Amino acid sequence: MAKNALRKTSKMHFENYEDAFQVGTNEHIEYGPLKEEVIKCLKESIYELSVDERKCFISYYYYTKTIAVIAEETGLKESTVKSKLLRGRKKLKLKMEKKGFRYEDCKIFFE
């Protein structure tokens, strides 16, 4: 869900990646508050990741940098970056589920 939301806005350049999570005005009014809550929990969950996982996650999914570029910038091996992305996705999914949000229920907001 986070990956899709970040990729959807990756063509735009924001100073702060949180701008990617803005709620659009062309949505059904009844989804607005729910989407805002999903986005709030998503941001909180991303910030709960370790610093390295968060850097890799944001660089890869928001800034659409390649694994090779991320590895070069962070000084990590490419395999380590891949592992951090995989672990970050798994942790993010678990954190969102603990907060009561399943991908199947929330994907409508990020399509």
Side-chain angles (χ1 to χ4, degrees):
M1 199 166 46
K3 172 186 70 157
N4 291 338
L6 293 173
R7 282 191 176 162
K8 185 176 181 180
T9 58
S10 67
K11 301 297 183 226
M12 301 175 193
H13 297 286
F14 299 106
E15 290 298 318
N16 183 346
Y17 81 91
E18 290 185 14
D19 294 339
F21 293 103
Q22 295 301 318
V23 177
T25 58
N26 60 347
E27 300 176 40
H28 297 290
I29 196 74
E30 67 269 16
Y31 291 140
L34 180 58
K35 183 173 182 180
E36 289 175 6
E37 185 65 25
V38 169
I39 290 170
K40 178 184 171 203
C41 289
L42 190 57
K43 285 182 193 179
E44 290 172 0
S45 297
I46 289 172
Y47 279 111
E48 291 172 6
L49 296 174
S50 73
V51 175
D52 284 341
E53 288 170 342
R54 186 172 52 239
K55 284 180 182 178
C56 291
F57 192 86
I58 292 170
S59 294
Y60 187 75
Y61 291 112
Y62 177 70
Y63 293 112
T64 62
K65 294 180 181 179
T66 63
I67 290 173
V69 169
I70 297 169
E72 185 178 313
E73 290 177 353
T74 59
L76 300 171
K77 294 180 181 180
E78 288 186 30
S79 60
T80 304
V81 172
K82 289 178 186 178
S83 295
K84 292 197 178 294
L85 288 170
L86 177 65
R87 289 185 191 128
R89 285 189 302 268
K90 287 180 179 180
K91 287 179 183 178
L92 194 59
K93 181 180 178 182
L94 289 174
K95 289 174 187 292
M96 290 297 290
E97 286 175 350
K98 283 183 183 177
K99 293 177 182 184
F101 296 104
R102 294 179 332 144
Y103 172 75
E104 293 79 17
D105 299 333
C106 301
K107 68 181 178 180
I108 185 174
F109 301 125
F110 301 102
E111 293 178 335

